Amino acid sequence: MESKSHRSAKNKAAGRDGKTEVSLSRNRRLDALTQSGNRATEVERSGSLKGLEKAARRLRDSGANQRVLQVPNQHLGLAAKAMRKAGVSGTVKNMGGTKRRSVR
């Protein structure tokens, strides 16, 4: 079961006309995709490197131009490391949206 903060972050990332729980190949689901399909967002609240890497791979396979991995504030560095390890470029931001880190 997803937490309230996970659900609200996912809905906010999708926007008014975007979609949540978008189907990907291999029976996976992306948390949020904007209406235009330009920005894909994955919310990962666990601090595990394995979970963050899986989220980064889902972002990579989304095919979106902008990829955002949203994590709690204390996991920003670990999330950036996971995105680099998965070979994904994009943005890592905290749940409140006050801090962001670009990953090349």
Side-chain angles (χ1 to χ4, degrees):
M1 190 175 139
E2 64 186 12
S3 65
K4 284 183 182 179
S5 57
H6 184 271
R7 191 175 328 117
S8 65
K10 186 172 70 170
N11 288 331
K12 186 177 178 184
R16 194 167 58 96
D17 297 323
K19 295 179 182 176
T20 60
E21 297 293 326
V22 180
S23 293
L24 294 175
S25 63
R26 295 187 216 113
N27 233 5
R28 297 175 299 167
R29 290 186 176 271
L30 183 70
D31 275 339
L33 192 64
T34 56
Q35 181 188 13
S36 60
N38 263 357
R39 182 183 300 134
T41 305
E42 236 344 280
V43 179
E44 181 60 43
R45 295 192 43 83
S46 79
S48 73
L49 187 61
K50 197 172 186 177
L52 290 166
E53 284 176 22
K54 284 175 88 171
R57 284 194 295 272
R58 287 193 295 271
L59 284 172
R60 180 188 63 202
D61 296 341
S62 69
N65 294 333
Q66 298 175 9
R67 303 174 188 117
V68 180
L69 181 56
Q70 200 166 350
V71 296
N73 203 33
Q74 64 267 29
H75 302 313
L76 281 175
L78 193 61
K81 183 179 175 182
M83 283 185 76
R84 279 191 208 93
K85 192 171 179 183
V88 183
S89 62
T91 304
V92 177
K93 72 176 196 173
N94 67 346
M95 297 301 288
T98 57
K99 294 181 182 173
R100 61 183 58 231
R101 205 177 272 192
S102 289
V103 178
R104 292 182 179 232

